[in-house]
């Protein structure tokens, strides 16, 4: 599996950062314009006892459906969710959030692990997708920083 890791320091307490970035109704804000909506529209952090979340992203100008299933909720320090999408004949992977607290600030690390269901697709499109996913991840963590740095949500 390929992986992409992005990390930022956010000027907010760890619980506030965790609650915000793991709540599906915030994903369209954090991923805009790549995420259009999430269903069910949960207004609390993901947890394994919740149903899978369908996120409708727009990837490379194409609307797709990605299903995220929370697997481990180690609030407020860790979240692991499994995702799969029919994008490019099938892509699957994990997203992992790691958070660490320091003096009322939070180090937020987001790691995306992904693989295509077909080696041929990975060979053809893999080198195009990686920079694209890297940019999306970069925008996500920096948008979280922008929103949470000096605002209490």
């Amino acid at each position: 599996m390929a992986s992409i890791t992005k990390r930022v320091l956010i000027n907010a307490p760890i619980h506030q950062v965790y609650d915000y970035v793991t709540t599906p109704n915030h994903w369209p804000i954090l991923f805009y314009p790549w995420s259009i909506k999430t269903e069910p529209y949960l207004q609390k952090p993901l947890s394994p006892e919740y149903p899978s979340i369908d996120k409708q992203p727009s990837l490379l100008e194409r609307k797709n459906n990605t299903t995220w299933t929370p697997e481990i909720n180690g609030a407020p320090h860790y979240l692991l969710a499994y995702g799969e999408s029919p994008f490019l004949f099938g892509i699957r992977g994990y997203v992992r959030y790691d958070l660490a607290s320091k003096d009322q600030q939070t180090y937020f690390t987001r790691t995306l692990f992904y693989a295509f269901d077909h080696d041929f697709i990975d060979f053809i499109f893999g080198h195009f997708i990686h920079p694209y996913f890297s940019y999306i991840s970069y925008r996500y963590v920096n948008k979280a920083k922008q929103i949470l740095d000096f605002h209490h949500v």
Side-chain angles (χ1 to χ4, degrees):
M1 278 193 165
S3 67
I4 297 166
T5 300
K6 301 296 178 188
R7 185 177 194 209
V8 293
L9 178 62
I10 298 175
N11 189 26
I14 192 169
H15 285 69
Q16 182 181 356
V17 175
Y18 185 90
D19 288 351
Y20 193 84
V21 299
T22 63
T23 299
N25 72 330
H26 296 146
W27 294 354
I29 297 164
L30 291 168
F31 277 113
Y32 181 82
W34 296 283
S35 181
I36 300 164
K37 66 179 180 174
T38 57
E39 292 179 12
Y41 192 70
L42 292 178
Q43 296 186 18
K44 53 188 170 182
L46 285 179
S47 185
E49 63 265 11
Y50 297 146
S52 296
I53 305 301
D54 288 328
K55 185 175 91 166
Q56 294 182 355
S58 174
L59 293 172
L60 299 175
E61 304 298 324
R62 215 175 137 220
K63 291 181 182 173
N64 295 282
N65 196 44
T66 303
T67 301
W68 289 100
T69 304
E71 294 199 349
I72 300 172
N73 177 337
H77 297 283
Y78 180 78
L79 175 82
L80 182 68
Y82 172 76
E84 57 188 2
S85 171
F87 180 65
L88 288 177
F89 305 105
I91 189 168
R92 60 191 152 60
Y94 291 89
V95 66
R96 175 180 166 157
Y97 294 168
D98 292 287
L99 295 93
S101 181
K102 181 181 180 187
D103 302 326
Q104 293 300 310
Q105 294 181 314
T106 303
Y107 285 100
F108 170 44
T109 305
R110 180 183 188 273
T111 305
L112 173 67
F113 302 92
Y114 68 92
F116 294 94
D117 290 342
H118 302 284
D119 292 336
F120 179 73
I121 298 297
D122 187 38
F123 177 74
I124 298 297
F125 293 104
H127 62 284
F128 293 115
I129 294 297
H130 193 82
Y132 183 73
F133 283 169
S134 182
Y135 178 69
I136 291 171
S137 294
Y138 169 81
R139 287 272 315 256
Y140 179 92
V141 298
N142 283 289
K143 184 69 171 183
K145 178 176 176 55
Q146 177 187 1
I147 290 168
L148 294 168
D149 243 358
F150 298 103
H151 301 91
H152 296 286
V153 282

